[in-house]
Amino acid sequence: MLIGIDGGGTKTALVLAEKNGRLLNTVTGLGSNPTDIGLEECENRLRSELDELLRGFGGRDAVVDSVYAGIAGSANERTKAAVGEILRRLLPKARRVDNGSDAFNALYGEAEEGIALIAGTGSSAFVLTKDGSHQVGGWGYLVDDAGSGFRVGADALKAAYRSYDGRGEKTKLEELCARRLELPLGEAIPRIYEGGKRYIATFSFAVLEAAHAGDAIAEGILSDAANALADHLRACLRFVSARPAVAVVSGGLIENDEILERVRAALGAQKNDVQLVRPDVAPVYGALVKAARNAGVPITETFRESFKRDYHL
């Protein structure tokens, strides 16, 4: 049996499968990012989720051929090692246990080497080669989150408030942000700050709507985001010899077709150096593929189709 785990900040997806890709069980639980919840709570949640996943299949004492867990917050070696120890405690009879960052899960499902570009609430890129992995961007909203949903949303609100109080050009974002807030701008600041990063990122959709209406301020915000994400890809290309390099994209912002096309256009002369791929399978599929590869199991089209047929979460 194989186990794949995709652990993010919001939710954790787990799959149990046979070596041919046929799913035996699937579980979705709470987020497992140890940076957000701490290692102790990460272990508690994974224990509960694995108990549910393996119920009827021998429990956590089952002999599992290979486990791979891509968990958010595990890009640094210290956290990665700690999560690996947790998995070995929870699955003492597993023959192979491996783990890393969730950033690579989607990439593993498409290629053994390449780029993972993430543009959701935050933005980051990771490169995977035979020589190891490299991080580009992803330094957090306090330092550098160019191209992220949060940055686009924050820029929208900034433009809306400057339009509102007369410090900036008039923009349709003033009206659209107030509509989304369901409050006059002058009364909405507590709601914005209480909502935090994820809430602010939702205002990126107001930017798209304003740009469609011909708003120049919104158009500039989208252009800045696309150029920033293209810069992520250019920086990643330094580490990848293959052309075109496979770049798997994920995250709520870049899942929008218009944003993806803007990034492709922003690459300019280098657009043929990158093959932008939006997977048709959930990221946990990549974690399962990595578990299978670690066990020497060949990944065939049948393996992928079995997963797609059985996975419905």
Side-chain angles (χ1 to χ4, degrees), residues 3 11 29 36 47 57 78 87 108 129 146 149 154 168 230 235:
I3 293 177
K11 69 175 183 179
D36 291 340
R47 179 185 296 106
F57 298 96
R78 179 177 295 180
L87 290 166
Y108 286 136
T129 70

Side-chain angles (χ1 to χ4, degrees), residues 89-135:
R89 280 198 300 272
L90 295 177
L91 297 166
K93 294 185 180 177
R95 290 175 177 147
R96 299 170 188 85
V97 174
D98 190 13
N99 68 292
S101 169
D102 68 327
F104 291 119
N105 288 345
L107 177 61
Y108 286 136
E110 305 299 326
E112 295 190 51
E113 297 185 348
I115 300 165
L117 176 64
I118 302 164
T121 300
S123 64
S124 59
F126 295 84
V127 186
L128 186 66
T129 70
K130 290 192 263 287
D131 298 323
S133 61
H134 307 272
Q135 180 175 345

Side-chain angles (χ1 to χ4, degrees), residues 223-294:
S223 293
D224 287 347
N227 287 328
L229 293 173
D231 286 342
H232 279 71
L233 292 169
R234 290 190 189 96
C236 290
L237 285 172
R238 296 175 300 150
F239 303 103
V240 186
S241 57
R243 295 291 184 275
V246 173
V248 174
V249 301
S250 61
L253 186 67
I254 206 165
E255 284 172 4
N256 180 281
D257 289 340
E258 182 177 339
I259 298 293
L260 184 61
E261 288 309 310
R262 284 174 178 267
V263 173
R264 185 176 279 113
L267 284 167
Q270 289 182 285
K271 66 181 179 181
N272 292 327
D273 291 336
V274 180
Q275 179 188 353
L276 294 173
V277 176
R278 184 185 290 146
D280 63 352
V281 287
V284 71
Y285 171 74
L288 182 64
V289 166
K290 177 62 171 169
R293 286 191 182 128
N294 288 349

Side-chain angles (χ1 to χ4, degrees), residues 44-66:
N44 290 338
R45 293 184 183 185
L46 288 174
R47 179 185 296 106
S48 174
E49 291 155 359
L50 286 166
D51 282 339
E52 185 177 350
L53 185 73
L54 291 164
R55 187 173 294 124
F57 298 96
R60 289 191 291 105
D61 282 329
V63 177
V64 178
D65 292 291
S66 183

